Amino acid sequence: MTKKEEPPLSRVPRAVRVASLLSEGEELSGDDQEDEDEDDHAYEGVPNGGWHTSSLSLSLPSTIAAPHPMDGPPGGSTPVTPVIKAGWLDKNPPQGSYIYQKRWVRLDADHLRYFDSNKDAYSKRFISVACISRVAAIGDQKFEVITNNRTFAFRAESDVERKEWMQALQQAMAEQRARARLSSAYLLGVPGSEQPDRAGSLELRGFKNKLYVAVVGDKVQLYKNLEEYHLGIGITFIDMSVGNVKEVDRRSFDLTTPYRIFSFSADSELEKEQWLEAMQGAVAEALSTSEVAERVWAAAPNRFCADCGAPQPDWASINLCVVICKRCAGEHRGLGAGVSKVRSLKMDRKVWTETLIELFLQLGNGAGNRFWAANVPPSEALQPSSSPSTRRCHLEAKYREGKYRRYHPLFGNQEELDKALCAAVTTTDLAETQALLGCGAGISCFSGDPEAPTPLALAEQAGQTLQMEFLRNNRTTEVPRLDSMKPLEKHYSVILPTVSHSGFLYKTASAGKLLQDRRAREEFSRRWCVLSDGVLSYYENERAVTPNGEIRASEIVCLAVPLPDTHGFEHTFEVYTEGERLYLFGLESMEQAHEWVKCIAKAFVPPLAEDLLARDFERLGRLPYKAGLSLQRAQEGWFSLSGSELRAVFPEGPCEEPLQLRKLQELSIQGDSENQVLVLVERRRTLYIQGERRLDFMGWLGAIQKAAASMGDTLSEQQLGDSDIPVIVYRCVDYITQCGLTSEGIYRKCGQTSKTQRLLESLRQDARSVHLKEGEQHVDDVSSALKRFLRDLPDGLFTRAQRLAWLEASEIEDEEEKVSRYRELLVRLPPVNRATVKALISHLYCVQCFSDTNQMNVHNLAIVFGPTLFQTDGQDYKAGRVVEDLINHYVVVFSVDEEELRKQREEITAIVKMRVAGTASGTQHAGDFICTVYLEEKKAETEQHVKIPASMTAEELTLEILDRRNVGIREKDYWTCFEVNEREEAERPLHFAEKVLPILHGLGTDSHLVVKKHQAMEAMLLYLASRVSDTKHGMMKFREDRSLLGLGLPSGGFHDRYFILNSSCLRLYKEVRSQRPWSGAPETSHRPEKEWPVKSLRVYLGVKKKLRPPTCWGFTVVHETEKHEKQQWYLCCDTQMELREWFATFLFVQHDGLVWPSEPSRVSRAVPEVRLGSVSLIPLRGSENEMRRSVAAFTADPLSLLRNV
């Protein structure tokens, strides 16, 4: 007879057999057998995950570990404890019955477990190996497993098998005790046990009495009661690598596994939330990896928590460079990211680079505690079993106040500390760097070296990668202060006014993430809430004495008011806490909800920021920020969001100044997902808001982005530019100006309906982020989008109230009177409408200038735009006449002066010329000319995106960049825009009057623009002021580009040649014959070998190294012929002064003697003070180094910088 084939485990159906975790009285104490039997029968019907033994039995020897449903959970990354021995044994109930029951028994390094079947997922009982005191033989094939107060009797099939089991148990006991001695962990009376993340009593569906549940690491353990928990004798444990936790109702939640569902109920809603959090943490830990932890634990001190000494800590503070246990990690988070940046060794895999791991091996707990815990009294030391409050106080003293640190000999001397830090970072002494930073050395102090101005730059220059990693992780770390409780330094130091309020509120369970979905009315629970003495408590009802939970005002970081009807209740508000929890409350009454919001706001907002409460707000709270001159570390400011205004109050002063979010020049997010920074750029100021707490930061981010977007359909509700012109109008007009002025039938032709609609939707949603580019959008699609936007304005461009007056004005026969009437009506328009009308008519004036090409004269444009702007059906001719009059009298109606008109004409002329040239050469350019310009050097942190109009000069671009950064120009500061060619390793300072747009179009992928000081300009100006002749001549080393020039010179090196530079040309001579006494210039042997018009040359400072120039003072010369062919060659001088003289002469003759602007306003410009509140803002984008460097520019000596050139 053939044996029936066993189905693989993966194909076995679940829950096809009913079994219980407690199906026999032997596991219970025996005091109340009737109750025990009730428990057994009550649990029937709840699937345990076992399968029918008859159909799935495996004929395996008892000495071989059989496959088990929990041995290898699918997809789980948690390593499974290897089974030492498994097999069938007979077990005797403790009541002394002679009836043995067959059990499947499994022994691993930690537990002895037995099951009804070898197919069951969860055991009937488990015994911790650490609790077994001895194993003894008792007659034929029997043996006892003896614990402190329980004895378990087993019977094997033979004496040999009994001996194997006893030996396996004794070996497991010995190994367990050896591990316990090494770890010195004797917690809760159980040697070698791990302290639980949460433990307590819970109701489990199917049981009459509560079970004691413990969440330990990546497992949830079930015990009959607290006594058995202490004895280490449990029912079963659940591996959370296959678990999922789901909230069911106010007090209940389900733990779901592939084998069964465990339905738990807690005593209160608050307890349920705490259990959910603990079990979700166990799931995360189960899915983590130990690879990083094992490597970090290779250093012996890292095997124990740096704060309490708990073994195998799997969390770390990456800026303090200490390894900590899970309990201490929770308190570290409470200190804030400014003190401790907490990361998991097992879950945050992307954080743990090779450099960071090596840093922890070099520093870690050994060096960390030698500094931070050098003076801890034994009475104040933490233990693994210390309470949360004790941990919190100790860690506040240890890291925030630096109470126990080892003071550096230079402590208190800031200048010497900074100097010592600059010296230490260039060495391998990480402990010294840690001690200096912990005692107050400035992490971004000025080093004195302009090329490496900060300690981080010095470490990079010295190649100290570990020092660089340590410094980067501590960029925003606060310096420990024993006087950290001084007023206004921290929010918790401020004495808040006493606020009392009470009443019923409807509350949902707290959440650990933003509420993306609507919360139904059924999800709210009615609670009696009391706000008193800085605590918001919520009770089951008004008669309850013990609160279900409470929120301390000092822990509130944000209060948000969603729009009405966002959730099941008409009016709701959200409370965010430091512990990354979100509480949602609701009410039907608007007045009551408003009163609660005001009271809670008064309870947690300090007097410093009480002015923020004078207005209604959508969001109010505190956030870390950087601005002004205080750039060394983040400070805490108070912010309120109301409509599109973001108001701020900073510790330096109570004054506030709102940021108009719809007028921002830039709204971006910098940094990685762990350290995000929200950058808000307004004209001449920039504010950095840091994401220290992810939950409330994401809420602020979404709210600010929404407030900065268009709020409605009217003009005033759109995103606006500096001139109050809607960005959507500006984008379309600018694109058509750049790409469509010569397009035939522009504005008369219609674009594709689908493309026009998509474009208009994206512009309405966030016009600031839309960049129109030629090739991606057709001009007719853009023109149609603009016309549709203007036609769909609810109130129209000329407003409903004044529309008739405009139409009547068009019938006035006297032209002067009619123009005067138009001017009167223009003044009456709202500011945004008035600015938009001017921008649009100015654009149409440009369009009609090219009517010979685009066939759109004034009359044709009026026919198209009259009905659009006045929203008529086209039957009223007066609408077209108004538009025609405004275009014809554009200069008079809008008071356009000659300078503005000249710039406008120059801009459009330059655009058309470039487009004609681009068409001839087969190249096309983007319609929206956005140039990336860098300040001082090319780095992502220093880039600025600037729109370049055709009329913009290099001087105007330079001043624009300096304006954005609020960098003042001191006397003899020669700020210049440079064109840098990375491939040629050369750079060219642009002349201050040179137009930028043609240069931008000529830039290759290896070129960029950078604004920086021209260090040699003062020396060149002195030379030009002292020289006698306008010409320059002399010998220089010369090398041709063989592919471009054909001078017949030997290839492969530089050769001496004689050059003469005058006002018209540059001449090259092969040799010198004699000296001319009347001129002082040598007479050349013959006519020049080559001659170039001087104004067609571009001269770049520098020669690429691969050409092996004979000196380091060279320049590259590029000549473009009339046929647009480029020629290039290289020149080298013998001295730096000679190079400066040649370059100064080139500039002099090319620009008719005007090398640098002579007007004082251009040379030295007073920068108006810009303030946000009472704090001066320096709008710097980028890293700490860049910010510090730019601040130092206010006090740097330009002459000392010049001498370094």
Side-chain angles (χ1 to χ4, degrees), residues 704-751:
I704 289 175
Q705 287 177 330
K706 182 178 179 181
S710 298
M711 302 292 288
D713 295 329
T714 64
L715 279 178
S716 60
E717 293 176 320
Q718 305 301 309
Q719 293 175 339
L720 301 177
D722 291 336
S723 303
D724 281 344
I725 302 170
V727 178
I728 185 172
V729 174
Y730 174 81
R731 284 278 190 265
C732 295
V733 165
D734 184 63
Y735 179 82
I736 295 171
T737 300
Q738 302 283 0
C739 302
L741 287 180
T742 58
S743 176
E744 183 176 346
I746 184 67
Y747 286 117
R748 179 175 56 81
K749 293 181 179 179
C750 295

Side-chain angles (χ1 to χ4, degrees), residues 486-557:
K486 70 181 182 180
L488 304 185
E489 184 70 17
K490 281 291 174 182
H491 67 277
Y492 49 74
S493 65
V494 179
I495 300 175
L496 299 176
T498 301
V499 181
S500 298
H501 195 63
S502 61
F504 280 105
L505 285 173
Y506 292 86
K507 175 186 173 296
T508 64
S510 68
K513 58 183 180 180
L514 295 179
L515 303 178
Q516 304 291 350
D517 301 324
R518 176 184 175 89
R519 290 298 176 98
R521 193 181 184 94
E522 294 75 21
E523 297 182 65
F524 287 80
S525 303
R526 190 168 184 257
R527 293 288 180 264
W528 176 257
C529 298
V530 177
L531 175 63
S532 178
D533 297 326
V535 179
L536 174 62
S537 305
Y538 45 94
Y539 300 79
E540 192 75 25
N541 51 58
E542 67 271 32
R543 296 180 299 277
V545 177
T546 304
N548 287 4
E550 61 183 28
I551 306 170
R552 296 190 175 276
S554 59
E555 296 177 353
I556 298 176
V557 296

Side-chain angles (χ1 to χ4, degrees), residues 974-1022:
Y974 298 95
W975 287 93
T976 309
C977 183
F978 284 77
E979 174 193 348
V980 180
N981 189 319
E982 296 175 351
R983 181 172 59 86
E984 293 293 334
E985 301 174 30
E987 62 183 17
R988 181 176 73 92
L990 305 185
H991 188 260
F992 68 88
E994 195 170 352
K995 294 291 191 294
V996 179
L997 195 57
I999 298 167
L1000 172 62
H1001 285 301
L1003 289 180
T1005 57
D1006 49 10
S1007 299
H1008 62 272
L1009 298 182
V1010 60
V1011 172
K1012 60 181 180 179
K1013 291 181 183 178
H1014 196 320
Q1015 308 289 13
M1017 181 56 72
E1018 185 178 19
M1020 292 194 301
L1021 293 176
L1022 291 173

Side-chain angles (χ1 to χ4, degrees), residues 385-439:
S385 57
S386 295
S387 67
S389 59
T390 303
R391 290 176 197 267
R392 189 176 307 119
C393 293
H394 177 86
L395 298 180
E396 284 272 357
K398 183 176 180 179
Y399 297 113
R400 187 187 295 281
E401 301 172 14
K403 179 179 178 181
Y404 311 121
R405 60 185 160 175
R406 174 176 55 83
Y407 286 94
H408 196 278
L410 299 176
F411 180 77
N413 189 333
Q414 189 64 48
E415 184 177 353
E416 293 301 320
L417 280 172
D418 293 347
K419 288 181 180 179
L421 178 63
C422 292
V425 297
T426 62
T427 70
T428 58
D429 194 348
L430 292 163
E432 176 71 1
T433 301
Q434 185 180 50
L436 288 165
L437 287 178
C439 287

Side-chain angles (χ1 to χ4, degrees), residues 18-30:
V18 175
S20 69
L21 298 180
L22 289 174
S23 61
E24 56 186 348
E26 59 184 354
E27 286 87 349
L28 305 178
S29 61

Side-chain angles (χ1 to χ4, degrees), residues 491-712:
H491 67 277
Y492 49 74
S493 65
V494 179
I495 300 175
L496 299 176
T498 301
V499 181
S500 298
H501 195 63
S502 61
F504 280 105
L505 285 173
Y506 292 86
K507 175 186 173 296
T508 64
S510 68
K513 58 183 180 180
L514 295 179
L515 303 178
Q516 304 291 350
D517 301 324
R518 176 184 175 89
R519 290 298 176 98
R521 193 181 184 94
E522 294 75 21
E523 297 182 65
F524 287 80
S525 303
R526 190 168 184 257
R527 293 288 180 264
W528 176 257
C529 298
V530 177
L531 175 63
S532 178
D533 297 326
V535 179
L536 174 62
S537 305
Y538 45 94
Y539 300 79
E540 192 75 25
N541 51 58
E542 67 271 32
R543 296 180 299 277
V545 177
T546 304
N548 287 4
E550 61 183 28
I551 306 170
R552 296 190 175 276
S554 59
E555 296 177 353
I556 298 176
V557 296
C558 180
L559 179 62
V561 183
L563 293 172
D565 202 32
T566 300
H567 298 288
F569 280 84
E570 180 73 14
H571 303 283
T572 54
F573 60 91
E574 300 170 348
V575 177
Y576 297 75
T577 66
E578 282 185 335
E580 301 275 355
R581 304 301 296 177
L582 187 161
Y583 297 83
L584 177 65
F585 297 90
L587 277 171
E588 287 293 353
S589 168
M590 181 180 68
E591 292 76 14
Q592 292 181 13
H594 187 269
E595 185 64 25
W596 269 107
V597 168
K598 285 294 183 184
C599 290
I600 294 174
K602 289 179 181 179
F604 85 98
V605 173
L608 165 74
E610 61 185 4
D611 289 345
L612 296 177
L613 305 181
R615 304 172 181 84
D616 289 338
F617 53 84
E618 285 90 50
R619 190 169 287 265
L620 171 74
R622 52 185 166 92
L623 288 165
Y625 75 96
K626 283 191 177 183
L629 301 177
S630 304
L631 301 173
Q632 293 186 4
R633 63 187 179 92
Q635 302 181 76
E636 197 164 67
W638 290 86
F639 297 85
S640 75
L641 179 63
S642 178
S644 62
E645 286 189 349
L646 180 66
R647 298 181 178 273
V649 175
F650 298 144
E652 286 78 0
C655 299
E656 54 172 306
E657 182 177 329
L659 279 83
Q660 302 297 331
L661 297 178
R662 289 209 303 273
K663 289 189 177 183
L664 291 178
Q665 290 183 333
E666 179 183 343
L667 191 158
S668 61
I669 304 172
Q670 295 183 356
D672 54 31
S673 59
E674 296 291 335
N675 299 287
Q676 289 188 327
V677 178
L678 176 61
V679 184
L680 305 177
V681 181
E682 210 181 25
R683 182 73 175 173
R684 292 190 178 90
R685 60 175 176 176
T686 298
L687 182 67
Y688 298 83
I689 298 177
Q690 297 185 334
E692 180 178 298
R693 297 171 298 269
R694 181 167 180 80
L695 181 60
D696 69 299
F697 176 76
M698 295 307 294
W700 276 104
L701 175 60
I704 289 175
Q705 287 177 330
K706 182 178 179 181
S710 298
M711 302 292 288

Side-chain angles (χ1 to χ4, degrees), residues 187-241:
L187 310 177
L188 299 174
V190 181
S193 67
E194 182 181 352
Q195 191 170 2
D197 300 313
R198 180 163 184 81
S201 297
L202 285 174
E203 296 177 10
L204 178 60
R205 186 182 301 168
F207 279 91
K208 178 180 178 181
N209 298 321
K210 290 184 178 180
L211 298 183
Y212 195 82
V213 183
V215 181
V216 183
D218 60 354
K219 292 180 174 58
V220 174
Q221 301 174 348
L222 305 183
Y223 298 85
K224 182 192 171 191
N225 51 43
L226 178 61
E227 179 185 1
E228 292 200 350
Y229 166 67
H230 285 297
L231 294 174
I233 303 172
I235 300 171
T236 191
F237 55 78
I238 306 156
D239 190 333
M240 298 299 282
S241 63

